[in-house]
Amino acid sequence: MNRRHCATAAITLVCALALLTSTGQASAAPIPEPSSSPSAPADPSQRYSNADLEKVREQIETLYRKAGAATDAYNLAEEQTKKQSGEIVKLAKAIVDGQARIAALKDRAGAQAREQYRNGGLPPGAQLALSNDPKLFLDGINKVRQSQQASKSLLTELNQTQQDLETYTQDASANWEKLEANRVKQAKAKKKINAQIKAAEKLESRLEKKERDRLRQLEQDAANRAQTAWLSSGAVKDVSGEASEAGAAAVAFATAQIGKPYVWGAEGPGSYDCSGLTSRAWLAAKRPIPRTSQEQWRLLPRIDIQDMRPGDLIIYHADASHVGMYVGDGAIVHAPRPGRNVTLAGAGSMKILGVVRPDK
């Protein structure tokens, strides 16, 4: 995007948003220049009309939505990396144990070879044939059989241990490759998140304090309109489920975090992102759940909105990039976005994808 040309042409924020969507760039679009047209605000102290700020609000919301999706990708990669690291540690221990086992089996094989040497180098069968004592002959038969069986078992065990060791080594190598791939994925996701958040912060920082206050009010107004429409649709008309014991514990934990800041990738105790809050709340209720909103949507049992109860998780947006916890009376507790704190909000204030129940 040619920023100098955009500034010279004074294109509108809507055009900038269209360019942003088409190119996939995370750069902030220019805020509309203060207008002296009839649509400008009556109060001369206001540089931007509500219509201008509404465009800014939509742009910031789009950027944070993209950051939310990238945050989920980062969190999932981080979770997978931790899992792969744990598997590598287990495999490393198995390799060490396997090597020790092979060394012990070789020592046993060596002992058998030394015993044969002490017997004149004759195999047990030849020694048996040279015996003139019937009792010794019969005892020798048993010893030969035992020796043959022991040698066979030793060789079988040695071969199996060597095969296991080769398998462990191959698995460890594959896991290292997966770990490195996840680290690359993490780095890309983190870079994308930072770009989206910085773009949104830059866009908002260009506003004066009064304009930022008006912008926040526009955000609240948009959420209220969506919540009112959702309630008016009768979506929660018959919702009256009571929280389970675990659900009540999860709600108690989540609501106790109200006022703490949103920080992407955070899982507490001082800050949270949206899925960090819900996963920690259910962990506090002794029910571990997936870390990210997308994995929560993919793996947890889904239920109908009419059947939801406090503690259930409401997943938002088509890409499942946001999650909040239902607390009853048509409300959720959630961590909204950077620059905002954990708060209560209308459950219908965002586009609902579906509802999942961690303790079903």
Side-chain angles (χ1 to χ4, degrees):
M1 181 184 296
N2 190 322
R3 296 172 184 245
R4 184 176 302 169
H5 176 71
C6 291
T8 303
I11 62 173
T12 65
L13 189 60
V14 175
C15 293
L17 178 56
L19 287 174
L20 178 65
T21 303
S22 64
T23 61
Q25 296 296 318
S27 56
I31 294 176
E33 292 295 327
S35 175
S36 59
S37 67
S39 64
D43 185 349
S45 67
Q46 295 183 1
R47 299 188 305 162
Y48 301 103
S49 68
N50 282 351
D52 289 336
L53 286 176
E54 179 62 21
K55 295 172 184 176
V56 175
R57 184 193 69 78
E58 291 173 356
Q59 171 71 350
I60 289 175
E61 181 178 320
T62 298
L63 289 168
Y64 280 126
R65 280 277 311 281
K66 291 180 179 180
T71 298
D72 244 23
Y74 177 88
N75 290 337
L76 180 58
E78 185 177 55
E79 185 177 41
Q80 290 173 338
T81 297
K82 289 178 180 178
K83 182 178 180 181
Q84 291 298 331
S85 296
E87 290 298 321
I88 288 172
V89 170
K90 291 179 182 178
L91 287 169
K93 185 178 184 301
I95 289 172
V96 171
D97 292 344
Q99 290 171 334
R101 182 65 179 160
I102 287 175
L105 290 171
K106 287 181 176 179
D107 285 345
R108 285 172 55 190
Q112 288 185 356
R114 289 190 294 273
E115 179 65 23
Q116 182 175 339
Y117 177 79
R118 283 194 293 271
N119 290 328
L122 293 175
Q127 295 176 28
L128 177 61
L130 294 175
S131 174
N132 294 321
D133 188 326
K135 185 175 183 303
L136 291 177
F137 181 83
L138 293 175
D139 290 343
I141 289 177
N142 290 330
K143 289 181 179 180
V144 167
R145 288 175 178 172
Q146 292 174 1
S147 176
Q148 289 175 337
Q149 185 62 38
S151 297
K152 183 178 179 181
S153 297
L154 179 62
L155 290 174
T156 299
E157 188 175 359
L158 180 59
N159 288 334
Q160 183 61 52
T161 302
Q162 288 177 328
Q163 291 176 8
D164 289 344
L165 186 59
E166 290 177 3
T167 300
Y168 294 149
T169 303
Q170 291 171 358
D171 288 346
S173 178
N175 281 354
W176 271 115
E177 291 177 3
K178 290 180 181 178
L179 185 61
E180 181 59 25
N182 279 332
R183 283 175 176 160
V184 172
K185 188 175 181 180
Q186 281 182 315
K188 290 181 178 179
K190 189 173 183 179
K191 184 177 180 180
K192 188 174 182 180
I193 294 166
N194 285 330
Q196 300 290 358
I197 291 177
K198 286 180 180 178
E201 290 175 342
K202 184 177 181 180
L203 188 59
E204 193 168 357
S205 70
R206 295 174 183 174
L207 301 173
E208 295 180 351
K209 183 180 184 304
K210 288 183 178 180
E211 292 163 346
R212 289 196 295 272
D213 291 340
R214 287 167 57 209
L215 181 65
R216 185 184 285 266
Q217 185 59 52
L218 287 174
E219 289 179 358
Q220 187 60 54
D221 291 344
N224 289 342
R225 286 194 301 271
Q227 174 73 354
T228 299
W230 184 64
L231 293 176
S232 299
S233 70
V236 289
K237 181 180 179 182
D238 299 321
V239 174
S240 58
E242 295 185 1
S244 64
E245 183 177 350
V251 169
F253 179 93
T255 53
Q257 313 312 309
I258 289 176
K260 294 182 179 180
Y262 177 107
V263 173
W264 69 262
E267 301 177 78
S271 58
Y272 297 87
D273 63 16
C274 65
S275 56
L277 176 65
T278 54
S279 60
R280 283 296 174 179
W282 273 100
L283 184 61
K286 313 297 184 186
R287 293 294 182 97
I289 64 173
R291 168 65 177 86
T292 71
S293 59
Q294 291 175 345
E295 289 296 281
Q296 289 168 6
W297 173 244
R298 187 174 72 87
L299 299 174
L300 296 178
R302 300 178 186 181
I303 63 169
D304 190 82
I305 288 179
Q306 298 292 332
D307 298 325
M308 69 181 178
R309 66 192 186 195
D312 290 343
L313 305 182
I314 302 181
I315 310 298
Y316 293 95
H317 310 309
D319 57 359
S321 58
H322 191 70
V323 60
M325 179 178 291
Y326 186 64
V327 296
D329 297 325
I332 59 167
V333 58
H334 73 142
R337 66 167 177 83
R340 300 291 184 262
N341 298 331
V342 176
T343 187
L344 292 173
S349 59
M350 297 167 284
K351 182 65 175 179
I352 294 177
L353 177 61
V355 183
V356 296
R357 176 166 294 166
D359 61 340
K360 184 174 181 179

